[in-house]
Amino acid sequence: MELTQQTPDMAAYLAADVAIDHEHPLVRQTVDRLRVDGADAYSYALAAYEFVRDTIPHSVDSGDSRVSWRASDVLATRNGICHSKSHALTALLRAAGIPTALCYQGFDDENGDPGVLHGLIAVRLPGRDRWDRQDPRGNKRGVDAQFSLDEERLAWPIGSGSNGVDYPVLYAAPHPAVLRALQTAEDRTHLWRTLPTAL
């Protein structure tokens, strides 16, 4: 699949916004903790990815009904669904000067009906002429997402015969429909009813 930038302006993939609040002190403190002296961009990106994937539980797995959506809140509450965790990882990477995009997948549920969108990120590391998608959702039985530049290691890869769709657009900011659902959800149960099923 060929990934397509929503905007050709690479600066947009380094920008802060209401959800990717990478100028927040907690985001900056986390960057400082994760950054090892002399580490290159790849090492930092891997550390940030593993931090978000492994230390911030996906709220479905943990049973947490709270809905966080702003990167700093995700870091503070250590809670979030895939979209929220993607916002946090995007903020940590952009704060370190690494262009990062938000991207999405769609899947049908167990009944064959459209399910909610899945959120992930794409990173553009120095020296690479391509974007590489990464999935910080969090691993569990049957899910083994890994940081990889050689081949994608997503939570749910979409292969031939799959009922899923990979959306090729790389967004500089959270998709408005996703962000609206996160911001207005009373709890995770309500969020599941309001998240978009397609883009």
Side-chain angles (χ1 to χ4, degrees), residues 24-122:
H24 190 281
L26 181 55
V27 176
R28 295 295 179 165
Q29 290 166 13
T30 307
V31 171
D32 290 342
R33 271 201 330 271
L34 294 172
R35 188 181 275 153
V36 177
D37 288 341
D40 60 10
Y42 173 86
S43 299
Y44 172 76
L46 173 62
Y49 169 85
E50 290 181 343
F51 173 80
V52 172
R53 184 195 64 188
D54 298 340
T55 72
I56 300 173
H58 190 289
S59 57
V60 171
D61 299 344
S62 67
D64 196 327
S65 64
R66 296 174 296 167
V67 176
S68 58
W69 55 269
R70 186 178 286 115
S72 59
D73 292 338
V74 175
L75 295 175
T77 63
R78 295 294 176 97
N79 158 67
I81 65 165
C82 56
H83 301 289
S84 308
K85 293 183 67 165
S86 293
H87 297 172
L89 181 54
T90 297
L92 292 174
L93 294 172
R94 288 185 183 183
I98 299 171
T100 307
L102 296 157
C103 43
Y104 302 92
Q105 294 176 306
F107 300 96
D108 290 347
D109 66 17
E110 59 275 359
N111 301 318
D113 298 320
V116 296
L117 288 174
H118 178 57
L120 49 156
I121 66 126

